[in-house]
Amino acid sequence: MAKRVPVIAGNWKMNTDVESGLKLVKDILDLSKDFSGVDKIVCPPFISITSVAQALSGSSIQVGAQNVSANPDGAFTGEVSTSMLRGFISYAIVGHSERRAMNGETSAMVAEKAIAAANAGINPIVCVGEDLEVRKAGNAERYVAKQLEESLAGYTDWDSLIVAYEPVWAIGTGEAATSEQAQQMTHACREVIRKLAPEAADSVRVLYGGSVNSGNVVELMDQPDIDGALVGGASLKADEFSKLIAAASAS
Ligand code: PGA
């Protein structure tokens, strides 16, 4: 089995403006240029995507969107289509728990977005994760497996897929999952892929997300089913994000 290339992806969420976003990527570029063997991704807000993509053109850092529309064009106020993004981005986060919770995105909608992205040559990063109530009830594995299966309904472009397991209770709380919990759940995600596409199960990258920082990344990345991290807060600090890239490069 070929080794899966590790991924460090930064989700800036609704932070930075065009100017500070450009400064952030320039600093990351500077601090992380010596680290190879890792896919480095930044996902700025839509308003910064063109300028960040231009600044990173020809560099080792790739750009992603935080969301895409499943629709090609038309009367969808405030939405951004894959064809508008094509050429600027290589990745798109779909189904982040904040969009599921605050924008009413269902797994069926997430599946449509993942397919639209893949059809446009954009690699989707499909996010799943349970909230605290589900975990406390002991249903985390079953819940996430179902959520992932539904979020990949009709999806066939396995080479382009990245999955991110992000427990809602660990996002932005400073309380990451333990490496055992994260391993168990990323393994469960991989088993869903194995069921849907057995030939792809060992090559699809599965990330962990939720309060990842330079203090816990090594232990998390040491787990056999964790191929990298989707990072929120720590992706807004160039030195901290570069430490994550360094750790992934050494993994
Ligand atoms: P966090 O966010 O690293 O700030 O917990 C992760 C995410 O939402 O992707």
Side-chain angles (χ1 to χ4, degrees):
M1 186 183 80
K3 189 178 181 289
R4 295 185 291 267
V5 176
V7 179
I8 296 293
N11 172 11
W12 295 1
K13 308 192 180 183
M14 200 172 73
N15 296 296
T16 70
D17 56 18
V18 174
E19 199 184 334
S20 60
L22 277 173
K23 164 104 175 66
L24 179 56
V25 283
K26 282 177 185 149
D27 290 347
I28 295 170
L29 209 47
D30 212 32
L31 291 167
S32 70
K33 61 180 183 301
D34 295 335
F35 306 117
S36 58
V38 46
D39 284 344
K40 313 165 190 173
I41 305 167
V42 292
C43 303
F46 280 128
I47 184 75
S48 294
I49 279 182
T50 52
S51 48
V52 165
Q54 208 167 16
L56 293 177
S57 169
S59 80
S60 65
I61 305 181
Q62 294 173 292
V63 183
Q66 298 175 17
N67 178 39
V68 288
S69 173
N71 297 105
D73 51 44
F76 300 100
T77 302
E79 294 292 306
V80 180
S81 72
T82 55
S83 62
M84 295 169 183
L85 291 162
R86 199 176 7 206
F88 296 106
I89 62 166
S90 314
Y91 297 88
I93 298 170
V94 294
H96 189 279
S97 66
E98 285 152 17
R99 293 203 61 85
R100 290 178 186 264
M102 297 174 208
N103 300 78
E105 286 189 13
T106 63
S107 292
M109 289 158 73
V110 173
E112 286 178 13
K113 287 171 183 243
I115 292 167
N119 286 345
I122 295 164
N123 305 310
I125 302 174
V126 175
C127 301
V128 291
E130 82 288 356
D131 64 19
L132 195 56
E133 201 180 325
V134 170
R135 173 152 292 268
K136 278 187 172 160
N139 294 331
E141 216 175 303
R142 198 151 31 111
Y143 177 93
V144 165
K146 183 165 180 283
Q147 196 182 37
L148 182 57
E149 206 170 326
E150 289 173 356
S151 301
L152 292 173
Y155 192 86
T156 53
D157 196 351
W158 303 105
D159 287 346
S160 70
L161 178 68
I162 294 180
V163 172
Y165 165 65
E166 298 203 300
V168 176
W169 47 269
I171 293 177
T173 61
E175 200 187 309
T178 65
S179 50
E180 291 76 20
Q181 288 169 327
Q183 163 56 26
Q184 184 196 0
M185 297 300 292
T186 49
H187 180 75
C189 290
R190 195 176 301 289
E191 290 311 297
V192 171
I193 311 284
R194 199 177 306 286
K195 192 168 120 187
L196 299 174
E199 72 288 356
D202 292 320
S203 52
V204 168
R205 272 94 55 91
V206 182
L207 315 183
Y208 166 78
S211 298
V212 174
N213 58 42
S214 58
N216 58 25
V217 69
V218 172
E219 196 186 332
L220 286 161
M221 293 226 32
D222 265 352
Q223 305 304 312
D225 283 294
I226 300 179
D227 302 314
L230 181 55
V231 186
S235 75
L236 295 169
K237 298 177 210 125
D239 55 343
E240 184 70 0
F241 192 62
S242 301
K243 282 183 193 164
L244 305 182
I245 291 172
S249 169
S251 74

